[in-house]
Amino acid sequence: MNNTPRANRKHIGFYGKRNAGKSSIMNAIIGQEISLVSEIKGTTTDPVSKSVELIPFGPVVFIDTGGIDDEGHLGELRVEKTIKTLEKIDFAIYVMEITDIDDNYHKEFVEEFKKRDISYIIVINKTDIVSEGRLGEIKSNIDNEKKWENVVFVSTTDNTTISYLKDELIKNLDADKEEETLIGDIIPYGGKVIMVVPIDAEAPKARLILPQVQLIRDCLDHGIKSYVVRDTELASAIEDLKDIDLVVTDSQAFKEVDKIVPKSINLTSFSIIMARQKGDLNTFLEGIKVIESLKEKETPKILIMESCSHNTSHEDIGKVKIPKLLTKHLGKEIDYHFRMGEDFPKDLETYDLVIHCGSCMLNKKTMETRMRVCSDKGVSITNYGILLAYLTGILDRAVKVFIGTGGQELCLR
């Protein structure tokens, strides 16, 4: 579990004013001194992340953030970073000191959670600093006010309350837990999948990339027989096997692999599979529809977005191959912009199209947020694999295997 990629872990964020006890509570739940704790306000500045095993739920990422009431120019920048973490949070814990029970900070932030469809718990901390009578009065008032919900009272000096908070957290995470699969819902038990892994300058030495590893594991989890070959051995592998359910290739090899794989066998790419799991294929397919309209633009402005940072080469898919193919297809000059990691731009409305990678290094919440932001800005977004399938002339074939699965009908036209 310790090796589970962050992209596959639930992200849990701690929010609240300075000195509310966010770091102390996170440390208490984890059982380790991860975040620095001090009586001085503003000890936590930049968000602090820690991947842990939350027993019995599973692997998660805890994110401790700076106080939302930070002040001054630097304070505003810190609050901005705290707000930005909401883009990738699956579950939120808002911590408030019991003496701040009447302030409005928590109300404003709860609205942020609701707006982003983030489940949450409100933790009222430091119950040990008030009398039992006052504590009972506060609890009674909260029970009588319907505007309060999902409230837990704790003190880091009382392990019983921390254990209760942990149990409530796990209960909420279990309620939101979805059975996520890459192809387990479209390929039957005992089915056969061939994975095509070209070994070129972009292939890492002595290892597979994350989408390839994840698909192998998904096949193992669902009793699907998987076969991994290079593109140079694909033809002979197809001859060796019968009743192949699906061939999955690196998007860069779509054109060559399409020629080898019989039309009777479904074909798609690792990037499209990841896009289906992390995002929404219909949205990406809608994004493809703007490609031809770009021919009418004087100089189309396109954002190419990578979820991870890596060295590039002459075969890089995002910075080299996609721009080359798309420029050739449109037959005109294009203004390309490139971003990596969490550097998703705010000025999206200035772009005509966003082309996103398969997002294997992002959790689902982050990708959903990016798609929502694009929608709000009125900017179309598509995916590497879908774009390459379109430019290769095999888009219908590349998404055919997903039609009618998971209650979703794909809009191919």
Side-chain angles (χ1 to χ4, degrees):
M1 284 291 189
N2 290 332
N3 294 323
T4 302
R6 285 199 172 191
N8 289 359
R9 295 171 179 259
K10 288 289 185 183
H11 286 52
I12 304 163
F14 289 79
Y15 301 92
K17 293 168 64 176
R18 290 172 295 170
N19 228 26
K22 302 182 296 297
S23 301
S24 298
I25 290 176
M26 190 182 86
N27 289 344
I29 292 175
I30 296 174
Q32 300 178 41
E33 296 298 317
I34 302 300
S35 281
L36 183 64
V37 176
S38 169
E39 293 298 321
I40 301 173
K41 284 188 175 183
T43 302
T44 301
T45 54
D46 290 341
V48 176
S49 299
K50 176 64 176 177
S51 297
V52 300
E53 178 75 8
L54 182 61
I55 298 173
F57 176 77
V60 301
V61 176
F62 281 119
I63 302 176
D64 189 15
T65 66
I68 61 173
D69 62 332
D70 212 338
E71 301 170 336
H73 177 64
L74 283 178
E76 290 178 2
L77 295 176
R78 291 166 184 162
V79 172
E80 189 176 322
K81 281 194 172 183
T82 293
I83 298 294
K84 190 170 179 60
T85 64
L86 292 173
E87 296 176 2
K88 58 184 174 184
I89 291 297
D90 297 295
F91 193 87
I93 297 176
Y94 185 91
V95 181
M96 61 187 303
E97 188 174 324
I98 195 165
T99 55
D100 286 336
I101 197 71
D102 295 321
D103 76 22
N104 290 319
Y105 273 99
H106 78 280
K107 298 175 185 176
E108 296 174 6
F109 228 73
V110 164
E111 287 305 311
E112 291 292 329
F113 298 151
K114 291 180 178 179
K115 184 169 70 175
R116 292 172 166 82
D117 196 26
I118 299 172
S119 299
Y120 65 91
I121 290 175
I122 296 176
V123 174
I124 299 179
N125 189 27
K126 303 184 183 181
T127 55
D128 55 300
I129 67 174
V130 298
S131 67
E132 289 188 13
R134 174 57 178 157
L135 179 59
E137 180 185 344
I138 292 172
K139 288 183 176 180
S140 177
N141 289 339
I142 284 178
D143 287 341
N144 293 330
E145 294 184 32
K146 294 182 179 180
K147 61 185 178 181
W148 286 88
E149 53 188 2
N150 308 327
V151 178
V152 175
F153 289 83
V154 305
S155 168
T156 53
T157 63
D158 184 351
N159 289 333
T160 301
T161 61
I162 296 298
S163 295
Y164 178 74
L165 170 59
K166 186 176 178 181
D167 289 343
E168 286 298 299
L169 171 60
I170 291 171
K171 186 189 303 181
N172 278 274
L173 291 174
D174 281 334
D176 288 341
K177 196 172 186 178
E178 298 177 4
E179 169 117 24
E180 291 191 351
T181 178
L182 294 172
I183 60 171
D185 59 334
I186 58 175
I187 304 299
Y189 175 84
K192 298 175 185 175
V193 174
I194 296 180
M195 303 180 201
V196 185
V197 181
I199 304 300
D200 54 23
E202 286 295 292
K205 298 295 183 183
R207 65 180 177 87
L208 299 174
I209 62 174
L210 185 57
Q212 296 160 358
V213 174
Q214 289 181 326
L215 187 55
I216 291 172
R217 178 55 196 257
D218 196 59
C219 288
L220 290 172
D221 287 341
H222 293 87
I224 300 168
K225 302 168 187 174
S226 59
Y227 306 84
V228 182
V229 300
R230 298 182 300 180
D231 50 335
T232 47
E233 284 74 49
L234 175 59
S236 60
I238 292 174
E239 291 180 4
D240 293 342
L241 300 171
K242 294 181 180 179
D243 302 320
I244 299 167
D245 293 281
L246 179 65
V247 173
V248 184
T249 180
D250 186 289
S251 298
Q252 300 184 68
F254 251 145
K255 189 173 183 178
E256 294 75 16
V257 171
D258 177 57
K259 294 175 182 177
I260 297 171
V261 179
K263 300 303 179 186
S264 59
I265 300 175
N266 283 320
L267 169 66
T268 193
S269 74
F270 292 102
S271 181
I272 293 177
I273 287 175
M274 296 304 299
R276 174 178 180 254
Q277 184 199 41
K278 298 293 178 68
D280 175 59
L281 276 188
N282 274 326
T283 299
F284 290 135
L285 289 168
E286 285 295 319
I288 280 294
K289 294 180 180 180
V290 309
I291 294 293
E292 300 309 318
S293 67
L294 297 180
K295 293 178 179 178
E296 307 303 319
K297 297 270 185 177
E298 184 175 348
T299 306
K301 185 178 179 182
I302 293 178
L303 172 64
I304 296 183
M305 189 73 210
E306 287 269 6
S307 63
C308 59
S309 300
H310 60 271
N311 294 326
T312 60
S313 74
H314 68 285
E315 294 184 344
D316 187 78
I317 186 171
K319 288 192 174 181
V320 179
K321 291 195 171 182
I322 285 178
K324 183 178 179 180
L325 288 170
L326 188 54
T327 299
K328 181 180 179 181
H329 179 81
L330 295 179
K332 65 189 312 174
E333 181 182 350
I334 300 175
D335 182 16
Y336 290 106
H337 292 246
F338 303 90
R339 296 290 185 93
M340 288 187 173
E342 297 186 4
D343 188 22
F344 201 57
K346 295 181 179 179
D347 60 340
L348 279 177
E349 64 275 4
T350 65
Y351 294 97
D352 295 301
L353 177 66
V354 175
I355 305 172
H356 207 290
C357 69
S359 66
C360 63
M361 298 303 292
L362 299 178
N363 67 330
K364 187 171 183 176
K365 188 68 177 184
T366 302
M367 195 61 228
E368 288 176 340
T369 298
R370 291 184 175 184
M371 296 177 77
R372 175 180 54 78
V373 171
C374 285
S375 176
D376 291 344
K377 297 286 187 177
V379 180
S380 296
I381 181 171
T382 194
N383 160 272
Y384 279 18
I386 290 173
L387 176 64
L388 289 171
Y390 176 80
L391 295 176
T392 309
I394 61 168
L395 179 58
D396 284 11
R397 184 182 189 188
V399 297
K400 179 183 176 183
V401 68
F402 304 117
I403 295 176
T405 62
Q408 181 185 51
E409 289 289 342
L410 299 177
C411 304
L412 300 182
R413 292 286 185 270

